[in-house]
Amino acid sequence: MAGVPVVFSEVLNLQQLGIPETSIKHGLTTMESDKWIVSVEPTQVSLIDLQNQAAVTRRPIKAEAAVMNPSSNILALRSGKMIQMFNLDTKQKLKSHDMDSPIVFWKWTSANNLALVTGTSVHHWSASDQAAPAKMFDRHPTIGPNTQIINYQVSPDSKWCLLGGISANPAGGVAGNMQLYSVEKKVSQPLQGHAGAFHSIKLTGREDRAQVLVFHEKKADDPGHKLFVMEVGRDPSKGAPFRLQPTVIPVPPEAAADFPVSLVIDAKDDVAFLLSKMGFVYLFDIASGKTMFRTRITQETVFVTCPQSSTGMVFGITVRTGKVLRIGLNGQNLVPYIVNTLRDNDLAIKVAGRLGLPGAEHLYTQEFERLIGAGQVKEAAVLVANSGSALRTPATIARFQQIPAQPGAPQPVFQYFSTLLENVKLNEQESIELAKPVLQQGRPQLMEKWLKDDKLHCSEALGDLIMPHDTAMALSVYLRSECHAKAIQCFVQRGEYDKIVPYSTSVGYSMDYSSMLSQLLFNNPQGALDLAKGLVSAEGGPLIDIQATAEAFLSSNRVQETTAFLLEALKDNKQEHAYLQTKLLEINLIGGAPQVADAIMQNGILTHYDRAHVGKLCERAGMWQRAAEHYTDINDIKRVFKNSHQMNPEFVVTYFSKLNQEQSIALLKDMMSRGPANMQVCVEVAKKYHEELGAGELVKVFESHKATEGLYYFLGAVVNFSEDPIVHLKYIQSACMLGQFKEAERVCRDSNMYNPEEVKDYLKNAKLPDPRPLIHVCDRFDFVDELTEYLYLNSLLQYVEVYVTKVSPAKTPQVVGKLFDLGANQDFIKRILMAVGTACPVDDMVEIAETRNRLRMLQPWLEARVATGSTEAGTHNALGKIYIQMNKDPKAFLTNNMFYEPKVLGPFCESLDPSLAFVAYKKGAGECDEELIKISFSHGLYRDLARYLVERQDLELWAKVLTKDESGDEAAMEKETQRRALIDQVVEWALPESTSADEVSCTVKAFMAADLPGELITLLERIILQGSDFSDNKNLQNLLILTAIRADHTKVASYIDQLDNFDAKDIALICVSESHMLYEEAYSIYNKFAKPEFTQDKEEQVEMQVLAIGVLVDYAKDLDRAKGYATQVDEKPVWSKLGKSQLEEKMAAEAIISFINAEDPSEYVKMCDEANEAEIYTEIIPYLKMARKSLQENLLDTELIYAYAKTNNLTDLEVFVNGPNVANIQNIGDRCFSEGLYHAAKILFTNINNNSKLAMCHISLEEYRDAVSAATKANNVSTWKQVCFACLRAEEFRLAATCGLEVIKYPDHLDEVVTYYSDLGHFDHLISLFEQGLGLEDGHIGIFTELGILYTKHVPEKVMEHCKVFFTKLNVSKVVRACERARLWAPAVYLYMADKQFDNAVKVMSERATAFDNDLFLDSIAKVRNAEIMYKAVNFYLTMHPMLFTRLMEVLEEHVDHSRVVNQLKRTGDWALQIGQAYMKSVQKADLSAVNEALNELYVEDEDYESLKKSIDKFKNFNMIGLASKLATHELLEFRRISAYVYRCNSKWSQSIELSKNDRMWKDCIDTANESTDAEIIENLLRFFCETSEKECFCATLYTCFSHVRPDVALELGWLNGYQHFIMPFLVQNMRQTFDRLKALEDRTKPPKDQDNVDEVAQTYGQLGGFNNMLMLENGGGMGMPGMGMPLGGGIDMSGFQQGMPPQMQPGMMPQMNGGMPPNPGMMPNGGMY
């Protein structure tokens, strides 16, 4: 739509992306932003990523609605009252909530808020927290429950809400109502309209933005539509709110019933788009409220819209079709449209100014002139400010400057600038013109304010204006305008040298820093230092030579500055700067500032200098510590450490960490050899580095210098941490030598590292007066015997007693044993034992006494321990042994004593008295069972053992004695004898004597475990049947029956009759088990206990009866007996059990009777299956009726219906179906239909209104009219199709057409209909069907396409008319293929052209002669996409239509490669070139080589030299030399002249002149020679004329070639040939020219006057100091620094620097950077001053 102010296009189609049509409607498809489209489908949610080429993501989510956050990937889902939020990026659920009422509309009002509208209220739900939705307000009665909500908006300040909806208008049409709600005031205002939106605009004359509500109004009693724009939420204190008068919306007459569906704001351009239901778009200017444009963009309804903030575009989606439309403002056409179409110049000016759009320039000019003419200066200034750049020119400024000021009013130009500053930023010229008067008035603060507010355009000229007034402000301007040189001048003038280099580097500006440094070094050394630091620290590497710069500073004796500079330059600590690092330290060490060097070395920032050299300098300066740090040779270190007394001890200690072991030991020896003064520091060194140096080596150093005290202190510091045995040994020795016995004792007591043998031997040999160190060593390392012997032999008995009582009482047995061996006094030993008392271990003591036969000596000590309450087993064991040996009432002791160990005294007693051993073992309470059994069997103590076993109640112990040995040897036989004797004692004596039920139970279990069933039965019969306390014991009765079941099942029946107190159910279960199968016994048990005398509870009696019949049916498999039993007891559970068994045995009829007697429908599922399998439908009906009395199940009702159907009981079937039921009628209907029960199926499908299936039933019954009627009700395409085909088979063509019209509405089924009709041969009926389909409301492209295809096959005469009438509704490709198959070329060409497939159209016309039409061909050929087709068309026309070739090339002139066409003509033949001559002339303007050469050849052949000359002059692109060579021998003179001309044009002077000579064309020769400007060629021509006596030509050549002829040549030729008169004019002119040139040279080289010369020199040298006393900056070479000698009196030796300097530099001179200095200082390389 060229020329209109709105652009729109279709950017996407949702149906093409697979979104079903049913999901593209309001509520199911949402678009909250230009990022996502979300569509809800029945089983999934489709997400369309508009930022990723419309990629579709489908998620298996079932939801009613879904909406995506406009800025982040947060998806909100709604199902019923449940709403949830999910983060798709993190795949987490953010929050969820269950609403109280359903949500009817929802929308994201911001990135953080989701608005929820229910039937009665509006809620806001935040996405940033876990809070529940907050209620905002209730819906107004005017927008009640019957209103469909279609819009909700929230203002930018979140203080206003607008809810909109539509409802049916009682008077007809659709009414719109909106509710405007104030959040602050909590009040609502109803509005009559359909759409609205909030927006914030900037109004002229106001600083704050206006928040406006733009909405559509349509009152019920007013047919007109209006647009309202009014401000909401403005503070009354700031003024009245903005409000426009309502403007009428121009609704077209054909859209009288139309209504808006959405209003979208283009925030970028402050315009609004209003979209209506009928597809109209209205464009409004919000600032004025005027309608700027209206058009209809679609025939469909756009149901969802959203803006694109970045471009101002508006997106919309059409309902059902899913077209995604993009609508936007066409800024280039807007203003011209307003001017030319709306003719609203005022609106055009305002819009163009506000949006900066073209098209209103002439309006601005006219309005400006009008306002100036009317004297409205202020208004004119506002107009200029709002015009963009249209009027803001120097001419406008001049106009305001020319206007005279009014008395008492400011200057007009100031009013102009003031207006501009209020609205826009000044341009460059405006900023300069404003600055001039402001600075003249001395008000730079205004300039500063405007610069701060970014109201001025910064430029170099503006900075130059400000520079004299404010350097800082000028610097700001220069920086903004990127005037680097001027900015650096400002830095220099302000003394901010440190900012120069960073700035220059950041902007990429290069300059001569050497000259600047040279000047600063004398004038401002600190500034030079700052600049040098910046240069050497620049990004990308230093910009100056570090060494040369340092030398320059030193040449001025600036040691401090040199140091500071080098510190900055060398801070990166690079290897290549090692020399400079050394010199930096040297100049400070030698120059009297060693503290500076010390600080540098202290910081450690330099590491690559010559350490040896610096070390010597430090030593010379008395810096011993620094010297030591730099030395590595041990001799140098020893020399320095002679002064260690002047060093910090901490340094000395730390220094040793730098030395290796050998050096450290050597240095320590050297230091200790110098006397005790260094002892303390040597001890500290040894303490700290003993691990690295080795304790042994250090000990040797101290011992070699007899430094026992030093050794003691050294080892004392490390002994607690060292693991070296030598350290501990030497420390003990040194401590003993110095009398530090307590320290020696401590180490001996606590240390684990020394060698005990060595220490023990040393202490024994030392014979210390205090043996406690030895005692500790011997005690710890078990040298007790040696210790005892040492103390005993050295008469230190008191230490023996001390040792056993205080040091180690546990080792008393060893000491006593050694004393026994040494023959010590027994009284002394007893005294020791009594002194130690209970601390002595009794077991060891007893063992030692026993081995030495001294046990009785311990009796007093042992009895004393018992008397103190000792319960130690060893004590009592020892006393027991003594009492047994002494026969002092041993049985009483064994029986009563609780603390001895039976396993100790039992074996001790066995050899003395076995009965005592039995007592002892029995006392063990199970610990000595093995020994007890053994001694009982070996000594015949069976009765005692039997009683013990019964009392113990230990099954494992029973197993040991009852287990039978199956080996069969003599030992086994003996053991069996013993076992039988024991069993007899148990049965005869032990068990009968017991009165404990537990003992009896345990014994029975033991017999069971030992597999002694016979003995067990005998035992139980004696207990139960012969009368005892345990006769009625249930467990024993159970055990007796179970044992009989296992061992002798013949006795089971008698036991069941005799016993009444056993577990009947459990016993019966065991009887029926597979291992026993005693079914009759089990039946007897159940039958016995089902009697009232055994079971009183009725339910339990029935349960027993059920179990009894269960035995008969499940195990005995006797159904007849079971049936008799059921009849006998006549209980429902019994019948039910019988019925289930009959059902399992496939006795369906009998099972039905049993279940009816039981009134049990529980097995209805299986019963129905069995009945169906047996086909007993009549019998199953009573059962199903019985089951329905208690169950309401789908299967029962369904099977009953099926039974009625199978028995053809249609009356009962219809009655049942029409009554209440829960049958699955659909399934049973399908079942009946599939089995051919069509009448029953018809009743069922009629009942559920399944018209599709009903139609099939009618078809099967050949009721075709009823089938069509049912299909009409079903309105389902598959049904229509089946009925259609059935009617067609029955030749019911009218009914088939009725159905077929409904089928062909659906494109997917067209082919099937066509195929079916075609297969049956009903082509006329098929065409008639599709012709009727053309009039369908839902007619689609497929109908028109298929009809066209049918026409091509059967009615070809109608094809062209059909294509022309319905082209827009055809699938062109399918119809074209059909036309080609039918060889209908004319319609095919038409379709190709109409579909813009011009390539195919041309191809058909070229290949098919009958399809060719020149006009159509020419119309198509210019629009083809494949250029090759154009060249094929050229050959086609040359071959088939040569007379139309020129017309073809007129059409193709702009599209083809003319060189290629010419080549085609050449290949075709000369006649083709003649035909194409007119074409080539028309395209020769392109100056193509092929065209030029072809035409030139034609001109030569036609001998048309005039045309050839014109062609050569006008078009130069061809092979000129080739043409000239060809024409050089032409028979016609004019062509040979053309050849010479061509040679001349190509600077082939000699060839051209020769051709002209041959044809005696003298003027051509002279002109060619002059044009060549070659003196040799001209001279040769002059000589030629002399030789041929052509005097006049000779003179003409001198005249023409005057500038190129040497005077001597002219004189020579004139004199030789006598042409003096002919050369005289030449000579006169030459003399005059020579005179003029000499005169000009003299004037130019004339020396100046003396005074002027002096002033110029003074000025030159005066400017060396800078411009206006400012330091000059140059881009050229730097100025060398004059050499400065060293001060007298011994300065710093700088000879070392000369070694590293470049050979061209001299000491004291700055290096010439960037190419060196220019010839004159202060001059730029181009000769001008900076």
Side-chain angles (χ1 to χ4, degrees), residues 441 684 1042 1412 1435 1507 1619:
Q441 295 175 10
E684 295 299 324
L1042 291 175
F1412 178 77
N1435 289 333
S1507 298
Y1619 294 165

Side-chain angles (χ1 to χ4, degrees), residues 300-561:
E300 298 147 341
T301 301
V302 177
F303 71 95
V304 62
T305 57
C306 79
Q308 187 178 36
S309 58
S310 59
T311 62
M313 291 286 183
V314 175
F315 288 94
I317 305 176
T318 60
V319 69
R320 291 193 301 275
T321 58
K323 298 177 182 177
V324 181
L325 305 178
R326 180 170 61 185
I327 311 161
L329 185 67
N330 187 350
Q332 299 298 319
N333 295 339
L334 179 59
V335 175
Y337 181 84
I338 297 174
V339 173
N340 300 325
T341 304
L342 302 183
R343 300 188 182 280
D344 190 339
N345 292 345
D346 181 62
L347 177 62
I349 290 174
K350 291 180 180 179
V351 171
R354 188 177 79 246
L355 303 182
L357 300 177
E361 291 79 4
H362 65 288
L363 297 178
Y364 281 120
T365 303
Q366 294 174 4
E367 183 67 11
F368 177 73
E369 293 298 336
R370 185 186 68 78
L371 293 174
I372 291 295
Q376 297 176 332
V377 177
K378 179 68 175 177
E379 290 75 4
V382 172
L383 177 66
V384 175
N386 294 332
S387 68
S389 59
L391 296 178
R392 294 175 60 189
T393 62
T396 302
I397 300 175
R399 288 293 304 275
F400 279 102
Q401 290 175 338
Q402 294 169 3
I403 300 174
Q406 298 296 326
Q411 291 287 342
V413 69
F414 286 148
Q415 294 185 42
Y416 169 65
F417 286 132
S418 175
T419 303
L420 289 181
L421 290 171
E422 291 177 0
N423 296 277
V424 294
K425 178 181 178 179
L426 304 189
N427 58 31
E428 180 178 355
Q429 188 63 33
E430 292 167 348
S431 302
I432 293 173
E433 293 298 332
L434 175 61
K436 290 177 180 177
V438 171
L439 293 174
Q440 288 176 358
Q441 295 175 10
R443 302 174 68 184
Q445 65 274 11
L446 291 178
M447 298 292 296
E448 183 176 2
K449 177 181 180 301
W450 293 332
L451 284 171
K452 184 177 180 181
D453 295 341
D454 195 25
K455 290 293 186 179
L456 302 179
H457 178 86
C458 295
S459 62
E460 183 176 0
L462 180 62
D464 293 342
L465 284 175
I466 299 174
M467 185 69 180
H469 303 275
D470 192 329
T471 308
M473 193 188 307
L475 175 60
S476 175
V477 173
Y478 288 141
L479 291 176
R480 297 186 191 184
S481 60
E482 298 184 357
C483 298
H484 308 312
K486 296 292 182 69
I488 292 175
Q489 282 190 2
C490 288
F491 283 132
V492 172
Q493 187 167 346
R494 291 167 57 84
E496 297 175 342
Y497 303 103
D498 56 333
K499 297 182 180 179
I500 294 175
V501 177
Y503 173 73
S504 301
T505 305
S506 64
V507 299
Y509 181 72
S510 60
M511 56 181 294
D512 179 18
Y513 296 109
S514 59
S515 175
M516 182 182 296
L517 278 174
S518 301
Q519 297 179 33
L520 287 176
L521 191 56
F522 295 102
N523 302 328
N524 188 350
Q526 183 59 39
L529 175 60
D530 293 340
L531 179 59
K533 286 183 178 180
L535 291 171
V536 82
S537 302
E539 293 184 5
L543 301 178
I544 55 174
D545 185 272
I546 300 174
Q547 184 172 335
T549 305
E551 182 184 354
F553 276 106
L554 277 176
S555 64
S556 301
N557 200 23
R558 297 288 181 180
V559 177
Q560 183 176 354
E561 286 79 1

Side-chain angles (χ1 to χ4, degrees), residues 1305-1380:
K1305 291 180 181 179
Y1306 301 92
D1308 296 341
H1309 301 277
L1310 280 180
D1311 293 340
E1312 194 172 353
V1313 173
V1314 173
T1315 302
Y1316 208 86
Y1317 268 87
S1318 300
D1319 291 345
L1320 296 178
H1322 303 309
F1323 301 110
D1324 295 338
H1325 293 290
L1326 177 61
I1327 293 173
S1328 174
L1329 171 65
F1330 276 91
E1331 287 177 344
Q1332 295 177 49
L1334 297 180
L1336 293 174
E1337 291 184 3
D1338 299 332
H1340 52 82
I1341 189 173
I1343 296 175
F1344 296 89
T1345 301
E1346 288 297 334
L1347 182 58
I1349 294 173
L1350 290 172
Y1351 279 154
T1352 63
K1353 295 178 180 178
H1354 308 292
V1355 193
E1357 60 273 9
K1358 291 186 178 182
V1359 175
M1360 179 60 81
E1361 179 185 0
H1362 181 76
C1363 292
K1364 290 182 178 179
V1365 173
F1366 301 112
F1367 168 76
T1368 58
K1369 299 182 179 181
L1370 293 179
N1371 185 332
V1372 175
S1373 60
K1374 293 181 67 175
V1375 179
V1376 163
R1377 287 196 297 271
C1379 290
E1380 290 177 347

Side-chain angles (χ1 to χ4, degrees), residues 1052 1056 1067-1087 1107-1108 1110-1118 1121:
V1052 175
I1056 292 173
I1067 298 298
L1069 288 175
I1070 295 173
C1071 288
V1072 299
S1073 63
E1074 293 182 1
S1075 58
H1076 303 294
M1077 294 189 293
L1078 300 176
Y1079 303 136
E1080 288 297 330
E1081 287 78 357
Y1083 176 75
S1084 298
I1085 293 173
Y1086 289 134
N1087 200 17
L1107 292 173
V1111 172
L1112 296 177
V1113 298
D1114 294 336
Y1115 299 102
K1117 302 297 182 181
D1118 191 348
R1121 184 178 176 188

Side-chain angles (χ1 to χ4, degrees), residues 109-110 124 136 154-161 182-184 211:
T109 62
S110 68
H124 283 186
M136 299 301 296
V154 177
S155 63
D157 61 0
S158 302
K159 296 181 179 179
W160 295 84
C161 305
S182 172
V183 178
E184 291 183 336
Q211 178 178 266

